[in-house]
Amino acid sequence: MINGALFTPSDETSVPTGEILNVAGTPMDFRKSRKIGLFIDQDDQQLQFGAGYDLNFVLNHPAGESGLAAIAYDPASDA
């Protein structure tokens, strides 16, 4: 799970384009917990440019404030 509703897309050289896009309806939507590889094979330009999830997420808390960024869970180790 990533606590971010927005992401910054990159170009084919992995340089951010300056845009800020909504994750809704994209493979970058990790607002609810799901397996990382669930949509990694989708025909999506950002996944192709980064050879996977190599981009920036915009977190849902105000700049300068700390808060939850993400949660990762490995069922094999139950951690």
Side-chain angles (χ1 to χ4, degrees):
M1 186 280 297
I2 298 175
N3 186 22
L6 305 169
F7 73 101
T8 58
S10 299
D11 67 16
E12 62 277 357
T13 63
S14 295
V15 174
T17 64
E19 296 174 279
I20 298 176
L21 302 178
N22 198 305
V23 299
T26 74
M28 279 53 82
D29 193 349
F30 286 96
R31 293 173 295 170
K32 294 184 180 180
S33 294
R34 65 177 169 95
K35 291 184 178 183
I36 292 171
L38 188 62
F39 296 110
I40 203 157
D41 292 328
Q42 275 193 341
D43 184 22
D44 181 89
Q45 188 178 55
Q46 289 301 299
L47 293 176
Q48 293 167 0
F49 284 169
Y53 293 102
D54 185 14
L55 46 84
N56 303 301
F57 290 87
V58 180
L59 300 178
N60 287 340
H61 44 80
E65 291 186 21
S66 62
L68 178 69
I71 297 173
Y73 172 73
D74 175 26
S77 66
D78 196 31

